[in-house]
Amino acid sequence: MITKQELKEFSKTNLDFAQDCFIENENSFLLMVIILAVKDNKKILITKILNADEVENRLVYLAKLGLDLGIKTNFTKEFDSIDAIFVISEAWMSKQKGGKDKFDKKLEDGEILMPSKDPNKMEVLISSGCSSDNLAVSEFKIIRRLLTSNGKVEIKFEDLKELKDKDGKNEEPIEVKSPLLEEFWKAFNFVKNKTEKEKLSNNLQKNA
């Protein structure tokens, strides 16, 4: 098992790692998945940078990954447990008039303005993590693309500053729900529950 603080620290570390990969891969990458597994009380990180085909069907990919790791954990015992999964990707972020950062904001007529359509949008790198017992965290870095004097684009990263409400008090941290992470755990737990049912069935047959 993993605590909320450990999940947050891993998410920050993954974000720093993704930042380096971002720069090395020509200032862009599609999607990175990091799995925190445990074997013989040792933590193991499984990292995958998805290609274009995998990103196009990312929900299917994460579901298959969940099934695969579920089998390796509950049947073949290659891992003792899977404690958390992290997804790191680029995203657009919008800011409400009141100042609070959101991934969407309402127009005057009540409609939602998608961040990608917002002229004042910010490009961010986001690391979302979810543990096996449904703890969730999200960490962000703002991506700044600066045009240098020789015409090249220089990439810089800034930490997302602590948010304040209109009275100057700290706001609740942003938490992003990820359907990708949920899909992974659905598939993983399907295998786990299937294994437990088979064990129960075998025990009942032995005691019959």
Side-chain angles (χ1 to χ4, degrees), residues 170-187:
N170 291 344
E171 293 183 341
E172 289 296 317
I174 301 169
E175 190 169 289
V176 179
K177 296 281 186 180
S178 172
L180 297 178
L181 303 182
E182 293 171 1
E183 202 66 26
F184 170 86
W185 286 119
K186 280 181 188 175

